[in-house]
Amino acid sequence: MDIEEKIKSIKRSFRLYMNGVASHSMREKGLDYKLNWGISQADLRHIAASYDKDAALARRLWADNVRECKILATLLMPPTAMSVDEAVSWVMQAPSLETVESLVFGVLQHVDDAPALVGTILSAETSNDNALLRLCAYHLQCRLARRGVPVPQHSASLLLESASADIHSEDIAMLRAVVNCLQAVADAQPDLSERVADVLKTIGLDLL
């Protein structure tokens, strides 16, 4: 089966799993896609299981502004096939936190030089104005820390500087991502625990 046939087969399967109620709810929450079938993450993983990891297929799916295609792309992209430049490009194109989380979990934490990717994302020119970019960096660093992967010194400075600002965000998703990331980093790297504790103290939290 060539890529075009796989794309057609995947899109036909969407009709089997579509959930109009979930799709409507997502639209009300501001998720803006050309098309959103409301398919659950579990069902998307089930669809993905029918296909081998395939970079060309994943890239075609990612290029389609359909929620389910974006998420399937993160499930089918082989991490070894993704360069740092492509990883940053995907992050900058991610349309929602849901997609960012799937991208981090399925691909980014496994790409070559993933630790340096955190710093690359945070140093992007648009990072100050793009909350999803920073959320991606926090989620990625959190995953890496929980796997015992150390933070490069340059990335650590960028991470703590960015976290020092975002920890005061009124966005609950942002606050949760920052706190979880910092606690994971402190657990994994005692040499950074004092600097992390100073950031957490600014909102009255003690390092646990």
Side-chain angles (χ1 to χ4, degrees):
M1 188 183 300
D2 64 21
I3 289 180
E4 293 302 324
E5 290 174 331
K6 288 178 182 178
I7 294 287
K8 290 178 181 178
S9 176
I10 286 170
K11 291 188 173 182
R12 282 196 298 268
S13 70
F14 290 166
R15 296 185 181 278
L16 301 176
Y17 297 97
M18 64 183 293
N19 184 327
V21 174
S23 176
H24 179 72
S25 175
M26 291 179 198
R27 285 197 301 273
E28 287 189 330
K29 293 174 181 175
L31 291 182
D32 185 23
Y33 294 93
K34 180 180 72 176
L35 191 60
N36 181 348
W37 295 88
I39 300 173
S40 71
Q41 291 274 350
D43 285 335
L44 288 171
R45 288 193 294 272
H46 180 75
I47 293 171
S50 299
Y51 301 88
D52 294 329
K53 296 276 188 178
D54 183 330
L57 176 59
R59 289 177 180 126
R60 282 292 307 277
L61 288 167
W62 183 260
D64 202 331
N65 188 25
V66 175
R67 169 182 170 269
E68 287 71 17
C69 289
K70 293 286 190 190
I71 295 173
L72 280 173
T74 71
L75 299 173
L76 293 174
M77 184 66 173
T80 54
M82 180 171 272
S83 67
V84 169
D85 286 344
E86 185 173 27
V88 172
S89 175
W90 278 39
V91 173
M92 295 182 74
Q93 295 167 22
S96 68
L97 178 56
E98 177 189 39
T99 310
V100 163
E101 290 175 340
S102 187
L103 181 57
V104 167
F105 185 80
V107 187
L108 299 187
Q109 66 169 321
H110 303 296
V111 301
D112 290 340
D113 208 14
L117 181 56
V118 174
T120 302
I121 293 170
L122 289 175
S123 61
E125 289 184 5
T126 57
S127 66
N128 288 338
D129 302 316
N130 190 330
L132 278 178
L133 276 180
R134 302 194 307 279
L135 276 165
C136 181
Y138 300 137
H139 281 286
L140 176 55
Q141 187 55 67
C142 187
R143 294 295 310 177
L144 293 172
R146 287 175 176 170
R147 289 170 47 203
V149 179
V151 188
Q153 189 59 44
H154 177 62
S155 294
S157 297
L158 284 169
L159 180 73
L160 291 169
E161 180 182 351
S162 181
S164 295
D166 282 328
I167 202 167
H168 299 286
S169 173
E170 295 181 359
D171 184 329
I172 297 301
M174 178 66 79
L175 177 59
R176 183 182 297 115
V178 172
V179 171
N180 287 343
C181 174
L182 292 178
Q183 290 181 332
V185 167
D187 288 343
Q189 289 181 256
D191 59 305
L192 292 176
S193 60
E194 185 174 340
R195 295 170 68 186
V196 168
D198 287 342
V199 176
L200 291 173
K201 285 177 183 176
T202 64
I203 59 168
L205 289 179
D206 291 324
L207 183 60
L208 301 179

